[in-house]
Amino acid sequence: MGGMTSPAIDRIQAALARVNDPEIKRPITDLDMVENIDVDDTGKVTVTVLLTVAGCPMKDTITRDVTNEVSTVEGVTGVEVVLGVMTAEQRSSLQETLRGGQAQREIPFAQPDSLTKVYAIASGKGGVGKSSVTVNLAIAMAKQGLKVGIVDADIYGHSVPAMLGVADTRPTQVEDLIMPVPTPSGVSVISIGMLKPRRDQVVAWRGPMLDRALVQMLSDVYWGDLDVLFLDLPPGTGDVAISLGQHLPSAEVLVVTTPQEAAAEVAERAGTMASMMHQRVIGVIENMSFLPCPHCGPEHRLEVFGSGGGARVASTLGARFGYDVKLLGAIPLDVSLREGGDSGKPIVESDPTAPGAVVLSDIAQGLSGRGRGLAGMQLGLSPTAKG
Ligand SMILES: Nc1ncnc2c1ncn2[C@@H]1O[C@H](COP(=O)(O)OP(=O)(O)O)[C@@H](O)[C@H]1O
Ligand SMILES: [Mg+2]
Ligand SMILES: [Zn+2]
């Protein structure tokens, strides 16, 4: 350490404790990432920060945050951030800290004391807006102050990272622990597309390999203390639904459908599959429900894809399972919703007063009104749980 008095060093350390690692979301001082602090006679501070891996995509963020915080300390005239890289030994001790004694291959969300609500978003077929609904509900909840993560498990079109503006980001790995990718909206994401050796590689995800990938995204990713985890499932009733049912039966299922008869029918099958895997279907979201008439205004709804699909799926599933399955909302066709997805800035954030955003925010509000930690009560609510 340099020639300044120790109180100044204390204050610099306190400032550094306000800098979170952007991926791990904990203070860099707790993670042993600050290797050295040096202060010269003129008040210039040099901080050496150890990155978890060389070429860490977050290095600019860390440099900026360290500079900003240390600059606020009285007497500091300048800040230089020197970036180093952890040794293998330092990384494995960090991994141990992060695991906090938790066994490998254990899914934290499946533990009886987990407080994280897990919502699996299912649909009968692709293109109905499942991913759009997932990212917008997630961001709406993050805006309410909840800690939210998304697992993009759609093997056919892993589009969630692009919708969140992080299409080309690869996750950082600390030994065999994977950091979820932080996004501008505060939601963290891991996509099955990120687990491929190369992004352009075509992988036929099936059976055991798919099961391993799903378990990896749930247990080998450092999710921290999440309030809500969303899973964007592939459309249909395939292998992922079975794996999820086996590893995370406490996940609650939301079914997305369009108003069309045919779409409603396949959506019912997806819902039935979830129930067979002992997951509770808590609601149906109808998307692309209507187009607000450009002439008369929103009172006149143009039913481009027919009508009634959402209500039909909800009542059919409710009757089949013997409990109430609600239609949680009807999202209109909205150009800005598509644009938000294409540009990586989902509508609830980029255009929160747009009609589609308002409905999505209302649905999110209703879901989080059910409260954190309800997962543990699910057994009591289930009609089949008690004899
Ligand atoms: N309510 C809506 N209004 C306008 N476009 C929408 C709406 N919902 C989804 N889209 C667009 O439709 C396409 C398919 O949506 P996506 O969320 O990718 O569906 P899925 O995940 O079910 O395949 C995307 O281009 C998306 O932006
Ligand atoms: Mg999708
Ligand atoms: Zn009209």
Side-chain angles (χ1 to χ4, degrees):
M1 306 271 160
M4 221 185 206
T5 51
S6 57
I9 291 284
D10 287 351
R11 285 201 296 273
I12 292 166
Q13 247 151 3
L16 289 169
R18 293 193 294 270
V19 177
N20 278 354
D21 177 85
E23 293 168 312
I24 303 172
K25 298 186 197 294
R26 278 167 60 176
I28 55 173
T29 46
D30 286 2
L31 302 171
D32 290 331
M33 291 173 69
V34 179
E35 185 180 50
N36 190 42
I37 304 169
D38 198 79
V39 187
D40 74 10
D41 302 339
T42 66
K44 184 168 171 283
V45 180
T46 306
V47 184
T48 307
V49 178
L50 297 179
L51 302 172
T52 51
V53 287
C56 170
M58 302 301 146
K59 61 179 192 291
D60 295 342
T61 312
I62 294 180
T63 301
R64 188 196 62 212
D65 293 352
V66 166
T67 306
N68 288 347
E69 287 299 341
V70 175
S71 300
T72 64
V73 176
E74 206 190 308
V76 170
T77 57
V79 183
E80 192 192 344
V81 180
V82 176
L83 298 175
V85 179
M86 287 187 176
T87 62
E89 202 175 315
Q90 287 167 322
R91 262 199 303 276
S92 79
S93 109
L94 173 60
Q95 178 187 229
E96 216 157 284
T97 306
L98 296 179
R99 283 211 190 267
Q102 179 204 313
Q104 281 187 35
R105 302 266 104 179
E106 186 174 84
I107 298 174
F109 315 112
Q111 305 310 307
D113 58 349
S114 171
L115 291 173
T116 307
K117 295 285 297 175
V118 182
Y119 294 115
I121 316 292
S123 71
K125 56 174 194 163
V128 300
K130 183 170 48 65
S131 301
S132 305
V133 167
T134 305
V135 298
N136 280 291
L137 291 182
I139 294 177
M141 289 189 183
K143 282 172 69 174
Q144 294 164 16
L146 300 176
K147 278 173 272 170
V148 185
I150 302 180
V151 167
D152 175 14
D154 190 344
I155 44 178
Y156 304 113
H158 22 80
S159 55
V160 170
M163 286 180 173
L164 293 172
V166 293
D168 296 315
T169 312
R170 299 295 303 239
T172 301
Q173 212 162 326
V174 177
E175 302 302 283
D176 49 10
L177 199 57
I178 302 167
M179 301 300 128
V181 173
T183 71
S185 59
V187 172
S188 300
V189 63
I190 276 293
S191 170
I192 195 156
M194 296 170 179
L195 302 183
K196 293 188 297 188
R198 286 203 331 270
R199 235 175 76 81
D200 58 353
Q201 194 177 36
V202 179
V203 180
W205 291 108
R206 286 166 59 218
M209 190 190 172
L210 184 55
D211 187 79
R212 267 199 303 279
L214 186 73
V215 170
Q216 193 179 15
M217 291 191 287
L218 294 169
S219 65
D220 289 349
V221 174
Y222 177 74
W223 287 110
D225 189 18
L226 286 184
D227 294 301
V228 185
L229 179 72
F230 284 95
L231 286 132
D232 187 358
L233 298 183
T237 56
D239 292 338
V240 174
I242 295 172
S243 285
L244 188 64
Q246 282 164 352
H247 298 293
L248 209 49
S250 60
E252 296 181 306
V253 177
L254 296 166
V255 176
V256 179
T257 182
T258 61
Q260 265 162 308
E261 271 297 304
E265 198 173 302
V266 292
E268 280 159 21
R269 266 183 257 143
T272 302
M273 176 70 177
S275 176
M276 277 165 57
M277 297 309 299
H278 305 292
Q279 291 165 333
R280 194 177 170 89
V281 178
I282 54 162
V284 176
I285 297 170
E286 189 181 85
N287 186 31
M288 310 188 186
S289 293
F290 59 90
L291 184 68
C293 178
H295 307 293
C296 322
E299 308 316 311
H300 181 197
R301 299 179 164 197
L302 303 174
E303 291 171 339
V304 181
F305 294 121
S307 67
R312 177 187 140 176
V313 176
S315 70
T316 304
L317 292 180
R320 204 170 285 168
F321 307 151
Y323 58 75
D324 198 23
V325 177
K326 287 195 166 58
L327 177 60
L328 300 175
I331 305 163
L333 277 160
D334 191 331
V335 173
S336 74
L337 194 153
R338 183 194 54 73
E339 287 170 347
D342 288 350
S343 64
K345 296 185 195 73
I347 184 176
V348 294
E349 194 165 50
S350 59
D351 195 0
T353 58
V358 171
V359 176
L360 283 157
S361 297
D362 282 351
I363 296 171
Q365 194 79 49
L367 288 173
S368 39
R370 301 169 68 238
R372 179 174 155 130
L374 272 180
M377 285 168 56
Q378 192 220 328
L379 288 175
L381 293 171
S382 163
T384 52
K386 297 222 170 115

